[in-house]
Amino acid sequence: CEDWSVVCEGRVVGEPLAELAVSPDETLVASASSNGHVYVFDSFNMGLRRCISSAHGLFVTGLCFTTPSPDQYALLSVSADRECKVHNPHLADPARYFKAILLLLVLLGVLY
């Protein structure tokens, strides 16, 4: 049996994990806890990016990323509460909107 090196480890949440999924571009890791919470982590350092508290009323039984279009993806979760939910894992990160904000500031500067 081949040994693999551990790159990053640590406790990601305080409760038992029920499911795990990796985004198509491998930048995010989603996990679901036994109490119905869904967490999204940065895959590089496992830093918490988003917590969806009480995504479900009971433990999550399935979690996966899907690609509704080539430039975006969604996170699907199913639970023992008989619900299937679609979550948007992308965050309102100001760095993602830097070009749009910069363009808006330039246009405002030109107009005034």
Side-chain angles (χ1 to χ4, degrees):
C1 199
E2 187 177 328
D3 288 338
W4 287 54
S5 298
V6 175
V7 177
C8 180
E9 71 177 59
R11 182 175 293 213
V12 290
V13 293
E15 57 270 352
L17 297 178
E19 288 291 322
L20 186 75
V22 178
S23 66
D25 62 1
E26 299 177 353
T27 60
L28 300 175
V29 174
S31 68
S33 68
S34 59
N35 64 4
H37 298 329
V38 173
Y39 301 91
V40 180
F41 300 94
D42 184 305
S43 65
F44 179 71
N45 60 13
M46 293 306 290
L48 182 63
R49 300 271 310 269
R50 185 174 184 189
C51 173
I52 306 167
S53 299
S54 301
H56 290 279
L58 295 173
F59 59 93
V60 176
T61 57
L63 192 65
C64 73
F65 284 93
T66 184
T67 52
S69 72
D71 62 340
Q72 66 178 5
Y73 49 86
L75 177 63
L76 283 76
S77 63
V78 294
S79 171
D81 62 8
R82 300 180 307 209
E83 291 185 340
C84 178
K85 296 186 178 182
V86 179
H87 311 277
N88 179 358
H90 301 285
L91 305 175
D93 182 5
R96 291 184 62 212
Y97 303 105
F98 178 74
K99 289 181 183 177
I101 293 169
L102 184 60
L103 179 61
L104 179 62
L105 291 174
V106 168
L107 287 174
L108 287 174
V110 169
L111 293 175
Y112 292 101

